[in-house]
């Protein structure tokens, strides 16, 4: 089940792992939040992501249910002016 750096080889390996072990805990909820964030970005024209400052890589979209560092959701904060 080695991926060997190939996307085409990775898909069957991921499918086999999913069938063997099941989805990751919280995976379904994470995908739902990603969908909500994508829909919010389309509706508002504002696309936000969390970014790792060390690696400069984007982590995940920020949407209405994303938690801020203060513990509140984005929806509880003032929305950016359009």
């Amino acid at each position: 089940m080695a991926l060997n750096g190939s996307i085409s080889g990775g898909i069957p390996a991921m499918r086999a792992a999913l069938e063997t072990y099941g989805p990751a805990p919280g995976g379904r909820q994470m995908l739902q939040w990603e969908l909500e964030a994508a829909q919010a970005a389309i509706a508002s024209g504002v696309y936000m992501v969390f970014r790792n400052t060390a690696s400069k890589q984007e982590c995940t979209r920020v949407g209405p249910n994303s938690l801020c560092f203060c513990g509140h959701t984005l929806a509880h904060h003032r929305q950016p002016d359009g």
Side-chain angles (χ1 to χ4, degrees), residues 10-36:
I11 293 173
M14 287 187 286
R15 181 171 303 221
L18 183 61
E19 290 171 357
T20 301
Y21 304 109
R28 187 162 296 179
Q29 181 62 57
M30 182 186 71
L31 290 175
Q32 182 61 40
W33 287 333
E34 280 281 312
L35 175 62
E36 290 172 7

